[in-house]
Amino acid sequence: MPAPVPGFPEAAMIACLFFVFLVPLAAAGISLINAGLGRSRSASHMMMAAISSLSIAAVVYFICGFAWQGFIGRPGHVLALSGKSWNWIAAEPFFFRGMAFDGSPASLAALLQIFCVGLAALIPLGSGADRWRLRASCASAAILAGWTYPLFAHWVWGGGWLAQLGANYGLGHGFIDPGGSSTIHVVGGLCALAVTWILGPRRGKYSPDGMAPAIPGHNGVLVLFGCLLALLGWFGLNSAGAILFTGSAPAQTILIAINTMLQAATGSLTAAIITGIRFGKPDASLSANGWVGGLVASSATCAFVVPAEAIVIGSIAGALVTFSVEWFELRLEVDDPGGAVSVHAVGGIWGILAIGLFARFHGPILNVAGNSLPVTGGGAPGQWLARVAANLWPELGPESHLPLPSSDRGRTPGHGSL
Amino acid sequence: MPAPVPGFPEAAMIACLFFVFLVPLAAAGISLINAGLGRSRSASHMMMAAISSLSIAAVVYFICGFAWQGFIGRPGHVLALSGKSWNWIAAEPFFFRGMAFDGSPASLAALLQIFCVGLAALIPLGSGADRWRLRASCASAAILAGWTYPLFAHWVWGGGWLAQLGANYGLGHGFIDPGGSSTIHVVGGLCALAVTWILGPRRGKYSPDGMAPAIPGHNGVLVLFGCLLALLGWFGLNSAGAILFTGSAPAQTILIAINTMLQAATGSLTAAIITGIRFGKPDASLSANGWVGGLVASSATCAFVVPAEAIVIGSIAGALVTFSVEWFELRLEVDDPGGAVSVHAVGGIWGILAIGLFARFHGPILNVAGNSLPVTGGGAPGQWLARVAANLWPELGPESHLPLPSSDRGRTPGHGSL
Amino acid sequence: MPAPVPGFPEAAMIACLFFVFLVPLAAAGISLINAGLGRSRSASHMMMAAISSLSIAAVVYFICGFAWQGFIGRPGHVLALSGKSWNWIAAEPFFFRGMAFDGSPASLAALLQIFCVGLAALIPLGSGADRWRLRASCASAAILAGWTYPLFAHWVWGGGWLAQLGANYGLGHGFIDPGGSSTIHVVGGLCALAVTWILGPRRGKYSPDGMAPAIPGHNGVLVLFGCLLALLGWFGLNSAGAILFTGSAPAQTILIAINTMLQAATGSLTAAIITGIRFGKPDASLSANGWVGGLVASSATCAFVVPAEAIVIGSIAGALVTFSVEWFELRLEVDDPGGAVSVHAVGGIWGILAIGLFARFHGPILNVAGNSLPVTGGGAPGQWLARVAANLWPELGPESHLPLPSSDRGRTPGHGSL
């Protein structure tokens, strides 16, 4: 029995374990949504692709993915550039070798990532519905889990250069994304966009006269039940991520869950209202997309906003997803049956933007190795802009000259203690 | 990071968090049961109504519901009547303003209630299956979440007048209902009764010659799988409620889970045996109703009975639900496809009665602000009657003259300590 | 509120509670797999049989099952044979009488077993699909839950003679099976074999000319979604079993979950690759069987191997299940629609073998009453053989002459401390 890790009490470890164990429900929910939004004859194939992708992602991530992702405060390869050091990839041994499964944040992160990488691998399946071969989707899952995802996740969660932006250029806390709006969803959503590009639309989707008849999902019960399961998975994902990657205490997951629920609710209601006004009847598929879009955006913001702000963020996510689905389908002729590009890429980018616009930080954020960063409170428009900049356009400039609001000084570190 | 709340150790907080996170599975289960018991063509609409009701209930509860429900020991409006003070509605700010999400029981209750109010809002959907328009069901969910539910929940869980009965009139512990047999299920079930009243029966259900052909549910797999999910949700609901509203320790949830499981099992078996004897073949829909009826009754009693009593209570719940479904359908011509009135209203009333008949209290019950009430042990028929009275007919009289059994004196307060 | 049990801190209790509450998801998953692998017209009947079996198993186990299973360190009937004492059946009172539901390991085990016995009772349903009458399956569940399962579980988990093998004959740790590969799955799988034997094949399965046309499962979505739910249930089952029956600390469940995930993944991938090579296209049903086969084998080994070994064990499980299904179906003319015999009996036996072949013990194993057994580290082939022997053929001989590797001496006991 290992001794408790300093600064990470056993209560936080057990809470985190429990949150991590909920995450596969997000994968189950997304699988059902993908299966329900496709055609009936390919539903079983879709679930088979989901199970296979999850399996391959887990095995490949175990083999080499974690070695390249790593964790804050563990070894990485560093580039020296313009006088500053940039950590661009981790340097762990393969096969989880040397990892002590002792309840440390690093070991919990390894377990969490096995599920997160599977979730990311499921996202392109929705876009490739009805036409993606099993072998190709498995190869895509392997590349995502073995290289693309670990690299980007290292930059954000592993103490890499995006997380270092704050310290290196004084850009506030650097790039913050506790639940993976960017690492899981933008990565998965852009991969989905590439897949639709390569596969082209389904036969009969775009006729020569430019009409694009909607091919409705075959099973609304699967889709909407999947939404409910995904909600539980997201509670786990956002809570575990906030504890492991941004130093939240277990008690703060109450706020996280409330925000997550409200964002899903408002995302779905906004989509229902918009489609109700435009088509005379709320559309179930787009409401489901709005629900998941709200969840995706919540991953970045849930720990740092108050519930009233979560409602605004969720409503905007629902509206963005609704219009984006139509825009991709009709303007760009991207045939994306699951709406994966809109839900995950657009929803994720909105989440990253929203954390810059809305987030208030009430304590040090532990996203760079060992160093609790100084706190910058929310409020002034200049700070908002700088924070958006830090999350999106790191080259825009420093915000280190902004004064610290005194109310945020002297807070205790984030983790709970018994 | 907030300091631990006195009397509510972090271990209880983390256990409670985990139980609260299971509650959405109850909502998912009830949604699937509703969808499976209706007609095939309305299954997708039913799930859409479920997601929308959950969303609206969450948002409205956030806006004003919690302000009127409150929590034990927090501000409320008090009426002075016949020399006693009656707390009839809470006086919290709207929008969760001023609420510290710090792991306190009040903040956990706020999170739990967001899910409970959604669960209550789902109940009438089963009764309105195949004929309730989406807009009307959303309006009903908003009224339930914004006014009806918070008011009644305040009376029982928020330190309101029903909870005060014990202290004000010496009626034992007052009205006790840890998991919400009354607040969630009787309220939801009576709302369902009103809905069937207003909507009238489905076309073709009652022919002029008085025949009422059964319209069987379209998908038994959905219904029975929903029952299994609901079981998990109820574990969470009963456990979290017992910790937050009646001061159970985390360890006592073992007994709660055993009782909950046994009540669901015997409820379902009793319904299967009764329908097997009467119709020659056990009826799957009524067995599912018996299962959920047993769960509903368990919400009131689970923390205060031994497993052998749980079996009796569950069996009676199953029998009551079975006969009640037929009675409502054939005698009262109430067309209730989901059996929601029988399962939730009848099952819930039985649960409230059963806690008076069977419950044994082994420690102070924390259901009135700050005051741990004195303990009255079970046993004497006079006490039973008084306790039923306290739970149902508060005007019947005091039981304060009943002696305390010495074995119950000097117990430590209910919450666990590390 | 009971005082914490010495040697079993509250943190371990709460973690264990949470793991136990996940176990019903395994039952839900297996039910869906059974329903999906049968014919469409019997899917609803299958779910009804599942709910009824779970209910009967819970009630019968409560009545007499636990009395005969007991728990390590609690009273049992002992036979003296060849100078050694053999504990062959527990001697608890019926109806959980005298059991203190106080968070002790025994009370947690009672709760866990209510779900485990239900899971075991579900296994034969898959084999009897499409032809087993409800009454007969209920009777089978009652016998399994009231006698067969408790007896065998007492031998392994209750301090019975199989667990005593180590102490009595110096056979290492005796028979070790934290998650129930043997007690749940081999018992359930052999029961399934008996059921297929008694019921005979479905009409039309084996024609007189010896052809056995495959009768494919009717709903791959149910099957594969069931696999995902089962994964969560297994996380709970393996973790709770390891804490209660072999003294793992909560932190060690991280390794358990990683191994469980990797075994499911490799089991499914191996089956997909083998069927892809042999039939030109990966078979979804056999991949699902491989997934569950990997889970079944993980129950024995998950706590005692490193992830790389889990991959080997899972791959072999997947291959064994794939060939075994064909062998039973074509050679032995056993018509087993759910593949329950192959998945649970063959997978479970492989798990028991694998723990002998691969396991490394890094601390005392608490599987015999009160006595932490001395530790035997892994490594030497002689020890492997002896350990296989201890797990399978207890008569083979002692391994007490094998030296203890010094690196394993002096480890602290397994349970976490706050």
Side-chain angles (χ1 to χ4, degrees), chain B residues 400-412:
Chain B
S400 59
H401 62 278
L402 293 172
L404 277 179
S406 62
S407 67
D408 286 321
R409 278 184 189 136
R411 301 285 177 111
T412 56

Side-chain angles (χ1 to χ4, degrees), chain B residues 32-90:
Chain B
L32 287 182
I33 293 173
N34 284 344
L37 285 177
R39 285 171 177 158
S40 167
R41 64 176 183 223
S42 57
S44 183
H45 173 88
M46 174 65 81
M47 290 299 290
M48 178 68 188
I51 286 268
S52 302
S53 297
L54 285 173
S55 299
I56 285 185
V59 173
V60 171
Y61 188 82
F62 156 72
I63 294 175
C64 63
F66 184 75
W68 289 325
Q69 176 171 348
F71 191 71
I72 308 166
R74 291 171 71 99
H77 294 289
V78 175
L79 276 184
L81 210 68
S82 61
K84 302 193 184 288
S85 64
W86 300 100
N87 188 331
W88 72 279
I89 194 168

Side-chain angles (χ1 to χ4, degrees), chain B residues 261-262 265-266 269 311, chain C residues 52-69 93-96 110 113-114 117-118 121 137-150:
Chain B
M261 176 72 215
L262 288 176
T266 50
L269 288 175
I311 281 186
Chain C
S52 302
S53 298
L54 284 173
S55 298
I56 285 185
V59 172
V60 171
Y61 188 81
F62 156 72
I63 293 175
C64 64
F66 184 75
W68 289 325
Q69 176 170 348
F94 287 169
F95 302 107
F96 286 159
Q113 295 306 315
I114 285 186
V117 77
S137 61
C138 287
S140 158
I143 295 169
L144 186 79
W147 180 249
T148 328
Y149 177 92

Side-chain angles (χ1 to χ4, degrees), chain A residues 5-23:
Chain A
V5 180
F8 193 67
E10 198 177 21
M13 189 269 287
I14 286 173
C16 199
L17 250 184
F18 149 57
F19 297 133
V20 171
F21 277 24
L22 288 181
V23 176

Side-chain angles (χ1 to χ4, degrees), chain B residues 25 48 54 57 86 91 93 95 118 166 184 200 221 226 229 265 271 307 322 326 330 354 397 416:
Chain B
L25 286 175
M48 178 68 188
L54 285 173
W86 300 100
F95 303 106
I184 299 172
V221 175
L229 282 189
T322 309
E326 192 178 316
L330 298 185

